[in-house]
Amino acid sequence: MKRTLLLINLLLLSVYVFPQENIEVNYATIKKYVENQSDDYQQLIERFEVNDSLLSLNDYALIYYGHSFTPKYKGSMELWKELETLMEEKKWEEAYTQLKECRKKNPVSLKLLIYAMNLANELQREEEVQAYIDKYIKLSSAIISSGDGTSEDTAFKVISVNDEYQILNNVFKVEGLKQQSLVNNCDLMEFESSPYYEGTQIYFDISRSLDYMEDLFK
């Protein structure tokens, strides 16, 4: 698969990623599930990794938000310096190996999935490219099902600040990003325009990242 085809696939995200339903994200309920039914949650992760077609939108939401209640969660402090260095040096095989290790620690990171798509593309592993694209689409669908982004009360819920930028850039294709400001538990992102989102500002609920940081520095 050529790079141009990969880019076309990414562009298509904005066409068919939008879900037909809204979901309620209750962090207290999700936390209880992940902590009390850890084996069941791990089975969901395993099904996610093999792109089980029977997973529902609610399953993807549980997979994504549930990660923030696992010991592997690192909030917004995720840095993959070694991986990014290998990619800059175009050491594709080594980078891909490192990428897989990073995804074991955070399988729901949209940024890591973008890296995975590009590395699999460089290595001409077409089926793996599509598998990562599918994961990205399903997780993005879960995120934009969590609200409508128009207010603090209906903000899109994310567990990583970087995921905000993935949604802004790869789903809504925003143009002219102006500023980011913290409004209580939300990031307010203001921009000039978007072909896929009505309005010029979007609220993202980052309470999980903020809670993590608060607990970390206690």
Side-chain angles (χ1 to χ4, degrees), residues 17-133:
V17 71
F18 298 101
Q20 301 299 312
E21 59 183 298
N22 293 323
I23 57 175
E24 180 183 356
V25 178
N26 186 309
Y27 283 137
T29 301
I30 294 172
K31 179 181 180 181
K32 184 177 180 179
Y33 174 83
V34 172
E35 292 180 348
N36 296 342
Q37 297 174 257
S38 58
D39 289 344
D40 291 342
Y41 179 71
Q42 184 56 41
Q43 287 180 5
L44 275 181
I45 294 295
E46 291 170 3
R47 291 173 64 192
F48 168 69
E49 284 302 300
V50 298
N51 291 80
D52 186 339
S53 61
L54 297 180
L55 289 172
S56 67
L57 186 63
N58 278 296
D59 289 331
Y60 281 101
L62 186 54
I63 289 165
Y64 176 74
Y65 297 107
H67 177 73
S68 69
F69 295 103
T70 70
K72 295 179 180 181
Y73 179 60
K74 301 297 182 183
S76 301
M77 300 178 65
E78 298 155 315
L79 295 175
W80 303 290
K81 295 295 186 183
E82 183 177 352
L83 169 61
E84 291 168 346
T85 297
L86 290 170
M87 291 176 66
E88 289 172 2
E89 296 173 350
K90 298 184 178 181
K91 297 179 179 178
W92 307 128
E93 287 285 1
E94 293 178 53
Y96 200 42
T97 299
Q98 182 65 22
L99 177 279
K100 290 181 178 179
E101 290 302 312
C102 290
R103 288 203 65 250
K104 288 179 183 178
K105 299 176 182 177
N106 187 352
V108 301
S109 167
L110 296 182
K111 183 176 181 179
L112 280 180
L113 286 171
I114 288 288
Y115 286 165
M117 292 176 210
N118 283 288
L119 286 169
N121 181 62
E122 291 291 348
L123 295 169
Q124 298 183 343
R125 300 180 183 179
E126 298 181 21
E127 290 186 4
E128 293 178 40
V129 171
Q130 189 58 53
Y132 290 127
I133 290 175

Side-chain angles (χ1 to χ4, degrees), residues 60-213:
Y60 281 101
L62 186 54
I63 289 165
Y64 176 74
Y65 297 107
H67 177 73
S68 69
F69 295 103
T70 70
K72 295 179 180 181
Y73 179 60
K74 301 297 182 183
S76 301
M77 300 178 65
E78 298 155 315
L79 295 175
W80 303 290
K81 295 295 186 183
E82 183 177 352
L83 169 61
E84 291 168 346
T85 297
L86 290 170
M87 291 176 66
E88 289 172 2
E89 296 173 350
K90 298 184 178 181
K91 297 179 179 178
W92 307 128
E93 287 285 1
E94 293 178 53
Y96 200 42
T97 299
Q98 182 65 22
L99 177 279
K100 290 181 178 179
E101 290 302 312
C102 290
R103 288 203 65 250
K104 288 179 183 178
K105 299 176 182 177
N106 187 352
V108 301
S109 167
L110 296 182
K111 183 176 181 179
L112 280 180
L113 286 171
I114 288 288
Y115 286 165
M117 292 176 210
N118 283 288
L119 286 169
N121 181 62
E122 291 291 348
L123 295 169
Q124 298 183 343
R125 300 180 183 179
E126 298 181 21
E127 290 186 4
E128 293 178 40
V129 171
Q130 189 58 53
Y132 290 127
I133 290 175
D134 290 344
K135 289 180 175 64
Y136 193 103
I137 289 172
K138 298 298 176 53
L139 292 179
S140 297
S141 293
I143 291 171
I144 64 174
S145 295
S146 68
D148 60 20
T150 60
S151 69
E152 291 180 64
D153 292 336
T154 60
F156 296 122
K157 292 179 171 62
V158 292
I159 63 171
S160 168
V161 172
N162 184 267
D163 290 339
E164 298 176 25
Y165 291 94
Q166 296 294 322
I167 298 299
L168 289 170
N169 295 327
N170 292 330
V171 177
F172 294 129
K173 308 289 184 184
V174 302
E175 299 177 1
L177 189 60
K178 292 181 178 179
Q179 74 174 36
Q180 171 184 359
S181 53
L182 184 63
V183 181
N184 297 317
N185 289 328
C186 293
D187 267 346
L188 174 58
M189 312 296 285
E190 299 179 63
F191 49 89
E192 292 181 359
S193 63
S194 164
Y196 304 110
Y197 187 86
E198 185 175 350
T200 57
Q201 61 181 33
I202 296 178
Y203 286 87
F204 288 94
D205 181 330
I206 58 167
S207 55
R208 286 300 301 131
S209 292
L210 295 176
D211 289 344
Y212 172 83
M213 295 296 292

